[in-house]
Amino acid sequence: MTDIDGLEALQTDMGPFKDVFEKVSGLKVEFFAVSGRTVAVEAMAADQVDFVLTGPAEYVVFNARMKAQPVVTWNRPDYYSNIVVLDGAPEQSVADLKDKKISFGEIGSTSQHLAPATLLAEGGLVYGTDYEPVFLNRNVAVEAMIKGEIAAIGLNRTHIESITEKFPDQKFRVLVKGPELPNDVLLASPTVKPETIEIVRKAFAEHGDEILAAVTSQEANAKFIGGGFTPDVTDADYDGVRKMYENVGVTEFLAFLE
């Protein structure tokens, strides 16, 4: 997983999944810890890992770099992006954000950067031209918005919940809400045998409820509660993410945004 740092955390967060998946698939799983998406893609390029669980934006780079293929999606309910302002802010539409500063979360993130920027593009604002994108920690961004230093924040639904809890005296307004985003995906190296990929897909197709229960038994995986798995995923399902990259000026997908 590209968002879990270190072997100990990986074993804690994904240990129950490993136990159940090995039982239902008959395959042996060996964890390989990475410190982020860049390390993960290099590890796959060096044949150190066979499968990686990652986000939509990261999948596009894995596929462009080495033709990694999607195996099964890990579905996240209510996974969408928003542009948020203070409840009392004067802005009533995306157009009102022209010439303002807008904060995003992690650069290159699907739900915190690419999708919110796409919402702005669909509202007529050109990235980096019609507004100034900045990248701030969520809590810092909220404080900056309260001070009037930025006008809005791009973030996902879960993050709205976190800032509402962190700033109970503030009210936030969703200026624009995006559609459901493509899901996280378990992808395979091009060196993995097709018959192995089919075993993996079959395990998720036939034992999805059991696997999901194991995954969501750990609090760190709460984002998957109520979700499921889709084994018939195709590369074309992520064409919309490629369009999101284009909306921030990226037309080649061989490297992560930094």
Side-chain angles (χ1 to χ4, degrees), residues 37 83 94 97-110 112-136 152-154 243-251 256-258:
R37 56 197 180 188
I83 303 296
V94 167
L97 294 174
K98 185 174 173 60
D99 299 325
K100 305 288 181 67
K101 284 186 179 180
I102 302 173
S103 179
F104 300 94
E106 181 185 2
I107 188 167
S109 163
T110 308
Q112 300 178 63
H113 180 204
L114 302 183
T118 294
L119 293 178
L120 295 170
E122 291 170 347
L125 299 187
V126 177
Y127 184 81
T129 299
D130 292 328
Y131 63 93
E132 180 181 348
V134 296
F135 295 88
L136 303 173
I153 304 172
K243 179 61 178 176
M244 291 179 192
Y245 271 111
E246 293 172 4
N247 286 330
V248 299
V250 176
T251 56
F256 297 112
L257 296 179
E258 302 290 350

Short mmCIF file of all heavy atoms in Angstrom, two decimals, residues 37 83 94 97-110 112-136 152-154 243-251 256-258:
data_model
loop_
_atom_site.label_atom_id
_atom_site.label_comp_id
_atom_site.label_asym_id
_atom_site.label_seq_id
_atom_site.Cartn_x
_atom_site.Cartn_y
_atom_site.Cartn_z
N ARG A 37 4.54 6.56 -2.80
CA ARG A 37 4.24 6.10 -4.15
C ARG A 37 5.46 6.01 -5.04
O ARG A 37 5.56 5.10 -5.87
CB ARG A 37 3.19 7.04 -4.77
CG ARG A 37 3.60 8.51 -4.77
CD ARG A 37 2.43 9.42 -5.00
NE ARG A 37 2.83 10.82 -5.00
CZ ARG A 37 1.99 11.85 -5.04
NH1 ARG A 37 0.69 11.62 -5.06
NH2 ARG A 37 2.44 13.08 -5.04
N ILE A 83 -15.18 21.66 -3.28
CA ILE A 83 -14.55 22.96 -3.05
C ILE A 83 -15.33 23.60 -1.90
O ILE A 83 -16.55 23.78 -1.98
CB ILE A 83 -14.62 23.87 -4.29
CG1 ILE A 83 -13.95 23.18 -5.49
CG2 ILE A 83 -13.96 25.22 -3.99
CD1 ILE A 83 -12.46 22.92 -5.32
N VAL A 94 -18.12 28.95 -8.56
CA VAL A 94 -16.71 28.79 -8.91
C VAL A 94 -16.17 30.06 -9.55
O VAL A 94 -15.04 30.47 -9.28
CB VAL A 94 -16.53 27.58 -9.85
CG1 VAL A 94 -15.14 27.59 -10.48
CG2 VAL A 94 -16.74 26.28 -9.08
N LEU A 97 -14.34 32.64 -7.56
CA LEU A 97 -13.00 32.36 -7.05
C LEU A 97 -11.90 32.84 -7.98
O LEU A 97 -10.72 32.66 -7.70
CB LEU A 97 -12.83 30.85 -6.81
CG LEU A 97 -13.71 30.25 -5.71
CD1 LEU A 97 -13.56 28.74 -5.69
CD2 LEU A 97 -13.35 30.84 -4.34
N LYS A 98 -12.26 33.45 -9.08
CA LYS A 98 -11.27 33.95 -10.02
C LYS A 98 -10.34 34.95 -9.34
O LYS A 98 -10.78 35.82 -8.57
CB LYS A 98 -11.96 34.62 -11.22
CG LYS A 98 -11.00 35.08 -12.32
CD LYS A 98 -11.76 35.59 -13.52
CE LYS A 98 -10.84 36.20 -14.56
NZ LYS A 98 -9.86 35.25 -15.10
N ASP A 99 -9.04 34.78 -9.59
CA ASP A 99 -7.98 35.64 -9.05
C ASP A 99 -7.77 35.48 -7.55
O ASP A 99 -7.10 36.30 -6.91
CB ASP A 99 -8.24 37.12 -9.38
CG ASP A 99 -8.28 37.40 -10.87
OD1 ASP A 99 -7.51 36.74 -11.61
OD2 ASP A 99 -9.09 38.24 -11.30
N LYS A 100 -8.31 34.42 -6.98
CA LYS A 100 -8.13 34.15 -5.55
C LYS A 100 -7.08 33.04 -5.35
O LYS A 100 -6.65 32.39 -6.30
CB LYS A 100 -9.46 33.69 -4.93
CG LYS A 100 -10.63 34.63 -5.15
CD LYS A 100 -10.51 35.89 -4.33
CE LYS A 100 -11.71 36.81 -4.55
NZ LYS A 100 -12.97 36.26 -4.05
N LYS A 101 -6.69 32.84 -4.09
CA LYS A 101 -5.83 31.71 -3.73
C LYS A 101 -6.70 30.56 -3.26
O LYS A 101 -7.63 30.76 -2.46
CB LYS A 101 -4.86 32.09 -2.60
CG LYS A 101 -3.69 32.95 -3.01
CD LYS A 101 -2.74 33.14 -1.84
CE LYS A 101 -1.53 33.98 -2.23
NZ LYS A 101 -0.60 34.16 -1.08
N ILE A 102 -6.40 29.36 -3.75
CA ILE A 102 -7.15 28.17 -3.38
C ILE A 102 -6.16 27.11 -2.93
O ILE A 102 -5.17 26.84 -3.61
CB ILE A 102 -7.98 27.65 -4.56
CG1 ILE A 102 -8.94 28.74 -5.05
CG2 ILE A 102 -8.74 26.38 -4.16
CD1 ILE A 102 -9.69 28.39 -6.31
N SER A 103 -6.43 26.51 -1.79
CA SER A 103 -5.52 25.50 -1.25
C SER A 103 -5.99 24.09 -1.59
O SER A 103 -7.19 23.79 -1.57
CB SER A 103 -5.41 25.62 0.28
OG SER A 103 -4.55 24.62 0.80
N PHE A 104 -5.02 23.26 -1.92
CA PHE A 104 -5.26 21.84 -2.15
C PHE A 104 -4.48 21.06 -1.10
O PHE A 104 -3.63 21.61 -0.41
CB PHE A 104 -4.81 21.43 -3.55
CG PHE A 104 -5.53 22.17 -4.65
CD1 PHE A 104 -4.98 23.31 -5.21
CD2 PHE A 104 -6.74 21.73 -5.11
CE1 PHE A 104 -5.64 24.01 -6.21
CE2 PHE A 104 -7.42 22.40 -6.12
CZ PHE A 104 -6.86 23.55 -6.67
N GLY A 105 -4.78 19.76 -1.01
CA GLY A 105 -4.05 18.91 -0.09
C GLY A 105 -2.78 18.40 -0.72
O GLY A 105 -2.05 19.15 -1.36
N GLU A 106 -2.53 17.12 -0.59
CA GLU A 106 -1.30 16.53 -1.12
C GLU A 106 -1.24 16.68 -2.64
O GLU A 106 -2.17 16.32 -3.35
CB GLU A 106 -1.23 15.05 -0.75
CG GLU A 106 0.03 14.35 -1.25
CD GLU A 106 0.02 12.86 -0.96
OE1 GLU A 106 -0.99 12.38 -0.42
OE2 GLU A 106 1.00 12.20 -1.29
N ILE A 107 -0.14 17.21 -3.13
CA ILE A 107 -0.01 17.41 -4.56
C ILE A 107 -0.04 16.06 -5.29
O ILE A 107 0.57 15.09 -4.86
CB ILE A 107 1.30 18.18 -4.89
CG1 ILE A 107 1.33 18.56 -6.37
CG2 ILE A 107 2.53 17.38 -4.51
CD1 ILE A 107 2.40 19.58 -6.71
N GLY A 108 -0.83 16.01 -6.35
CA GLY A 108 -0.98 14.77 -7.11
C GLY A 108 -2.05 13.84 -6.59
O GLY A 108 -2.36 12.84 -7.23
N SER A 109 -2.65 14.15 -5.44
CA SER A 109 -3.71 13.31 -4.89
C SER A 109 -4.97 13.42 -5.76
O SER A 109 -5.33 14.51 -6.22
CB SER A 109 -4.04 13.75 -3.46
OG SER A 109 -5.29 13.24 -3.04
N THR A 110 -5.63 12.30 -5.95
CA THR A 110 -6.86 12.32 -6.74
C THR A 110 -7.92 13.21 -6.10
O THR A 110 -8.45 14.13 -6.74
CB THR A 110 -7.45 10.90 -6.89
OG1 THR A 110 -6.45 10.02 -7.38
CG2 THR A 110 -8.62 10.91 -7.87
N GLN A 112 -7.72 15.22 -3.37
CA GLN A 112 -7.32 16.47 -2.72
C GLN A 112 -6.70 17.49 -3.68
O GLN A 112 -6.49 18.64 -3.31
CB GLN A 112 -6.30 16.19 -1.62
CG GLN A 112 -6.79 15.28 -0.53
CD GLN A 112 -5.71 15.02 0.50
OE1 GLN A 112 -5.25 15.94 1.19
NE2 GLN A 112 -5.28 13.78 0.61
N HIS A 113 -6.41 17.07 -4.92
CA HIS A 113 -5.76 17.98 -5.86
C HIS A 113 -6.38 17.88 -7.25
O HIS A 113 -6.99 18.83 -7.75
CB HIS A 113 -4.25 17.69 -5.92
CG HIS A 113 -3.51 18.57 -6.88
ND1 HIS A 113 -2.32 18.20 -7.45
CD2 HIS A 113 -3.79 19.79 -7.38
CE1 HIS A 113 -1.89 19.16 -8.24
NE2 HIS A 113 -2.76 20.13 -8.23
N LEU A 114 -6.24 16.72 -7.89
CA LEU A 114 -6.66 16.60 -9.28
C LEU A 114 -8.16 16.78 -9.47
O LEU A 114 -8.60 17.51 -10.37
CB LEU A 114 -6.22 15.25 -9.85
CG LEU A 114 -4.72 14.93 -9.81
CD1 LEU A 114 -4.45 13.59 -10.48
CD2 LEU A 114 -3.90 16.03 -10.47
N ALA A 115 -8.95 16.14 -8.64
CA ALA A 115 -10.41 16.25 -8.78
C ALA A 115 -10.92 17.64 -8.41
O ALA A 115 -11.75 18.20 -9.14
CB ALA A 115 -11.11 15.17 -7.96
N PRO A 116 -10.46 18.25 -7.30
CA PRO A 116 -10.91 19.62 -7.02
C PRO A 116 -10.50 20.61 -8.13
O PRO A 116 -11.28 21.48 -8.49
CB PRO A 116 -10.20 19.96 -5.70
CG PRO A 116 -10.00 18.65 -5.04
CD PRO A 116 -9.69 17.70 -6.17
N ALA A 117 -9.29 20.44 -8.67
CA ALA A 117 -8.86 21.30 -9.76
C ALA A 117 -9.75 21.11 -10.99
O ALA A 117 -10.02 22.05 -11.74
CB ALA A 117 -7.40 21.03 -10.11
N THR A 118 -10.21 19.88 -11.18
CA THR A 118 -11.12 19.59 -12.29
C THR A 118 -12.47 20.26 -12.08
O THR A 118 -13.08 20.78 -13.02
CB THR A 118 -11.27 18.08 -12.47
OG1 THR A 118 -10.01 17.54 -12.90
CG2 THR A 118 -12.33 17.74 -13.50
N LEU A 119 -12.96 20.27 -10.84
CA LEU A 119 -14.20 20.99 -10.55
C LEU A 119 -14.07 22.46 -10.90
O LEU A 119 -15.01 23.08 -11.44
CB LEU A 119 -14.57 20.83 -9.07
CG LEU A 119 -14.94 19.43 -8.59
CD1 LEU A 119 -15.22 19.45 -7.09
CD2 LEU A 119 -16.15 18.90 -9.35
N LEU A 120 -12.91 23.03 -10.60
CA LEU A 120 -12.68 24.44 -10.94
C LEU A 120 -12.59 24.62 -12.45
O LEU A 120 -13.12 25.59 -13.01
CB LEU A 120 -11.40 24.93 -10.26
CG LEU A 120 -11.44 24.95 -8.73
CD1 LEU A 120 -10.07 25.22 -8.16
CD2 LEU A 120 -12.44 25.99 -8.23
N ALA A 121 -11.93 23.68 -13.13
CA ALA A 121 -11.81 23.76 -14.58
C ALA A 121 -13.19 23.68 -15.24
O ALA A 121 -13.48 24.42 -16.20
CB ALA A 121 -10.91 22.64 -15.10
N GLU A 122 -14.03 22.79 -14.73
CA GLU A 122 -15.38 22.67 -15.27
C GLU A 122 -16.22 23.91 -15.00
O GLU A 122 -17.20 24.17 -15.70
CB GLU A 122 -16.05 21.43 -14.68
CG GLU A 122 -15.42 20.12 -15.18
CD GLU A 122 -15.91 18.90 -14.44
OE1 GLU A 122 -16.55 19.07 -13.37
OE2 GLU A 122 -15.66 17.78 -14.92
N GLY A 123 -15.80 24.69 -14.01
CA GLY A 123 -16.47 25.95 -13.71
C GLY A 123 -15.87 27.13 -14.46
O GLY A 123 -16.27 28.28 -14.24
N GLY A 124 -14.89 26.84 -15.32
CA GLY A 124 -14.33 27.88 -16.18
C GLY A 124 -13.02 28.48 -15.73
O GLY A 124 -12.52 29.41 -16.36
N LEU A 125 -12.42 27.96 -14.65
CA LEU A 125 -11.17 28.52 -14.15
C LEU A 125 -9.98 27.66 -14.57
O LEU A 125 -9.94 26.46 -14.28
CB LEU A 125 -11.20 28.63 -12.63
CG LEU A 125 -12.30 29.52 -12.03
CD1 LEU A 125 -12.10 29.66 -10.52
CD2 LEU A 125 -12.33 30.90 -12.69
N VAL A 126 -9.01 28.27 -15.22
CA VAL A 126 -7.82 27.58 -15.69
C VAL A 126 -6.81 27.49 -14.56
O VAL A 126 -6.48 28.50 -13.92
CB VAL A 126 -7.20 28.30 -16.90
CG1 VAL A 126 -5.91 27.61 -17.35
CG2 VAL A 126 -8.20 28.35 -18.05
N TYR A 127 -6.31 26.29 -14.35
CA TYR A 127 -5.37 26.02 -13.26
C TYR A 127 -4.12 26.89 -13.38
O TYR A 127 -3.48 26.95 -14.43
CB TYR A 127 -4.97 24.55 -13.30
CG TYR A 127 -4.08 24.08 -12.17
CD1 TYR A 127 -4.59 23.76 -10.93
CD2 TYR A 127 -2.70 23.94 -12.35
CE1 TYR A 127 -3.79 23.31 -9.90
CE2 TYR A 127 -1.88 23.50 -11.32
CZ TYR A 127 -2.44 23.18 -10.09
OH TYR A 127 -1.63 22.74 -9.08
N GLY A 128 -3.77 27.59 -12.31
CA GLY A 128 -2.55 28.39 -12.28
C GLY A 128 -2.62 29.68 -13.06
O GLY A 128 -1.66 30.45 -13.05
N THR A 129 -3.73 29.93 -13.73
CA THR A 129 -3.91 31.16 -14.51
C THR A 129 -5.01 32.02 -13.93
O THR A 129 -4.83 33.20 -13.65
CB THR A 129 -4.24 30.83 -15.98
OG1 THR A 129 -3.16 30.09 -16.54
CG2 THR A 129 -4.46 32.11 -16.79
N ASP A 130 -6.18 31.40 -13.72
CA ASP A 130 -7.32 32.14 -13.20
C ASP A 130 -7.36 32.16 -11.67
O ASP A 130 -8.17 32.87 -11.08
CB ASP A 130 -8.62 31.55 -13.73
CG ASP A 130 -8.78 31.78 -15.23
OD1 ASP A 130 -8.30 32.81 -15.72
OD2 ASP A 130 -9.38 30.92 -15.89
N TYR A 131 -6.52 31.38 -11.04
CA TYR A 131 -6.40 31.39 -9.58
C TYR A 131 -5.02 30.88 -9.21
O TYR A 131 -4.32 30.28 -10.04
CB TYR A 131 -7.49 30.53 -8.92
CG TYR A 131 -7.42 29.05 -9.27
CD1 TYR A 131 -6.71 28.15 -8.47
CD2 TYR A 131 -8.05 28.55 -10.41
CE1 TYR A 131 -6.65 26.80 -8.79
CE2 TYR A 131 -7.99 27.20 -10.73
CZ TYR A 131 -7.29 26.33 -9.92
OH TYR A 131 -7.23 25.01 -10.25
N GLU A 132 -4.61 31.12 -7.97
CA GLU A 132 -3.29 30.68 -7.51
C GLU A 132 -3.44 29.43 -6.63
O GLU A 132 -4.00 29.51 -5.54
CB GLU A 132 -2.61 31.77 -6.71
CG GLU A 132 -1.22 31.36 -6.21
CD GLU A 132 -0.52 32.43 -5.38
OE1 GLU A 132 -1.01 33.58 -5.37
OE2 GLU A 132 0.49 32.09 -4.73
N PRO A 133 -2.96 28.27 -7.10
CA PRO A 133 -3.04 27.06 -6.28
C PRO A 133 -1.92 27.05 -5.24
O PRO A 133 -0.76 27.37 -5.54
CB PRO A 133 -2.85 25.93 -7.29
CG PRO A 133 -2.07 26.53 -8.40
CD PRO A 133 -2.42 27.99 -8.44
N VAL A 134 -2.26 26.72 -4.00
CA VAL A 134 -1.27 26.55 -2.94
C VAL A 134 -1.54 25.20 -2.28
O VAL A 134 -2.64 24.65 -2.41
CB VAL A 134 -1.31 27.69 -1.91
CG1 VAL A 134 -0.96 29.02 -2.55
CG2 VAL A 134 -2.69 27.78 -1.25
N PHE A 135 -0.54 24.69 -1.60
CA PHE A 135 -0.66 23.37 -0.98
C PHE A 135 -0.35 23.49 0.51
O PHE A 135 0.80 23.67 0.90
CB PHE A 135 0.26 22.37 -1.67
CG PHE A 135 -0.12 22.12 -3.10
CD1 PHE A 135 0.39 22.93 -4.11
CD2 PHE A 135 -1.03 21.13 -3.43
CE1 PHE A 135 0.01 22.73 -5.43
CE2 PHE A 135 -1.41 20.92 -4.74
CZ PHE A 135 -0.89 21.72 -5.75
N LEU A 136 -1.40 23.42 1.31
CA LEU A 136 -1.27 23.58 2.75
C LEU A 136 -1.86 22.38 3.47
O LEU A 136 -2.82 21.77 2.99
CB LEU A 136 -2.01 24.85 3.21
CG LEU A 136 -1.60 26.18 2.57
CD1 LEU A 136 -2.55 27.28 3.03
CD2 LEU A 136 -0.16 26.52 2.93
N ALA A 152 -10.63 29.39 -0.62
CA ALA A 152 -11.32 28.10 -0.64
C ALA A 152 -10.31 26.98 -0.48
O ALA A 152 -9.10 27.17 -0.61
CB ALA A 152 -12.10 27.94 -1.94
N ILE A 153 -10.86 25.78 -0.21
CA ILE A 153 -10.03 24.58 -0.05
C ILE A 153 -10.65 23.45 -0.87
O ILE A 153 -11.87 23.25 -0.86
CB ILE A 153 -9.95 24.13 1.42
CG1 ILE A 153 -9.45 25.27 2.32
CG2 ILE A 153 -9.05 22.92 1.57
CD1 ILE A 153 -9.53 24.94 3.81
N GLY A 154 -9.79 22.70 -1.57
CA GLY A 154 -10.23 21.51 -2.27
C GLY A 154 -9.92 20.29 -1.42
O GLY A 154 -8.77 20.09 -1.00
N LYS A 243 -7.73 12.66 -17.61
CA LYS A 243 -8.27 13.97 -17.93
C LYS A 243 -8.04 14.94 -16.78
O LYS A 243 -7.76 16.12 -16.99
CB LYS A 243 -9.77 13.85 -18.24
CG LYS A 243 -10.45 15.18 -18.56
CD LYS A 243 -9.85 15.84 -19.79
CE LYS A 243 -10.57 17.13 -20.11
NZ LYS A 243 -9.95 17.85 -21.25
N MET A 244 -8.14 14.45 -15.56
CA MET A 244 -7.86 15.31 -14.39
C MET A 244 -6.42 15.81 -14.43
O MET A 244 -6.15 16.98 -14.13
CB MET A 244 -8.12 14.53 -13.10
CG MET A 244 -9.57 14.21 -12.82
SD MET A 244 -9.70 13.28 -11.26
CE MET A 244 -11.39 12.72 -11.36
N TYR A 245 -5.49 14.93 -14.76
CA TYR A 245 -4.10 15.35 -14.89
C TYR A 245 -3.98 16.47 -15.93
O TYR A 245 -3.27 17.46 -15.73
CB TYR A 245 -3.22 14.17 -15.32
CG TYR A 245 -2.65 13.35 -14.19
CD1 TYR A 245 -3.07 12.04 -13.96
CD2 TYR A 245 -1.63 13.86 -13.38
CE1 TYR A 245 -2.52 11.27 -12.94
CE2 TYR A 245 -1.08 13.10 -12.36
CZ TYR A 245 -1.53 11.81 -12.15
OH TYR A 245 -0.97 11.05 -11.14
N GLU A 246 -4.66 16.30 -17.04
CA GLU A 246 -4.60 17.32 -18.10
C GLU A 246 -5.12 18.65 -17.60
O GLU A 246 -4.64 19.72 -18.02
CB GLU A 246 -5.39 16.84 -19.32
CG GLU A 246 -4.76 15.63 -20.00
CD GLU A 246 -5.63 15.04 -21.09
OE1 GLU A 246 -6.71 15.62 -21.36
OE2 GLU A 246 -5.25 13.99 -21.65
N ASN A 247 -6.08 18.62 -16.69
CA ASN A 247 -6.64 19.86 -16.15
C ASN A 247 -5.67 20.62 -15.27
O ASN A 247 -5.90 21.80 -14.96
CB ASN A 247 -7.93 19.57 -15.38
CG ASN A 247 -9.10 19.26 -16.29
OD1 ASN A 247 -9.18 19.75 -17.41
ND2 ASN A 247 -10.01 18.43 -15.83
N VAL A 248 -4.59 19.98 -14.84
CA VAL A 248 -3.55 20.70 -14.10
C VAL A 248 -2.28 20.82 -14.95
O VAL A 248 -1.19 21.07 -14.44
CB VAL A 248 -3.23 20.02 -12.74
CG1 VAL A 248 -4.46 20.02 -11.85
CG2 VAL A 248 -2.69 18.61 -12.91
N GLY A 249 -2.43 20.62 -16.25
CA GLY A 249 -1.33 20.87 -17.18
C GLY A 249 -0.41 19.70 -17.44
O GLY A 249 0.66 19.87 -18.04
N VAL A 250 -0.79 18.48 -17.03
CA VAL A 250 0.06 17.31 -17.21
C VAL A 250 -0.50 16.46 -18.35
O VAL A 250 -1.66 16.03 -18.30
CB VAL A 250 0.15 16.47 -15.92
CG1 VAL A 250 0.96 15.20 -16.16
CG2 VAL A 250 0.74 17.29 -14.79
N THR A 251 0.30 16.20 -19.37
CA THR A 251 -0.15 15.40 -20.51
C THR A 251 0.62 14.10 -20.66
O THR A 251 0.27 13.27 -21.49
CB THR A 251 -0.04 16.22 -21.81
OG1 THR A 251 1.31 16.67 -21.97
CG2 THR A 251 -0.99 17.42 -21.78
N PHE A 256 5.18 11.06 -10.81
CA PHE A 256 4.21 11.63 -9.88
C PHE A 256 4.45 13.13 -9.76
O PHE A 256 5.59 13.61 -9.88
CB PHE A 256 4.35 10.98 -8.50
CG PHE A 256 4.05 9.51 -8.51
CD1 PHE A 256 5.05 8.58 -8.28
CD2 PHE A 256 2.76 9.05 -8.75
CE1 PHE A 256 4.79 7.22 -8.28
CE2 PHE A 256 2.49 7.69 -8.76
CZ PHE A 256 3.50 6.77 -8.53
N LEU A 257 3.39 13.87 -9.51
CA LEU A 257 3.54 15.30 -9.27
C LEU A 257 4.22 15.52 -7.93
O LEU A 257 3.88 14.88 -6.95
CB LEU A 257 2.16 15.98 -9.29
CG LEU A 257 1.41 15.94 -10.62
CD1 LEU A 257 0.05 16.62 -10.46
CD2 LEU A 257 2.22 16.61 -11.71
N GLU A 258 5.16 16.41 -7.91
CA GLU A 258 5.89 16.69 -6.68
C GLU A 258 5.83 18.18 -6.37
O GLU A 258 5.73 19.00 -7.26
CB GLU A 258 7.37 16.27 -6.82
CG GLU A 258 7.55 14.79 -7.15
CD GLU A 258 7.18 13.85 -6.01
OE1 GLU A 258 6.97 14.38 -4.89
OE2 GLU A 258 7.11 12.64 -6.24
#
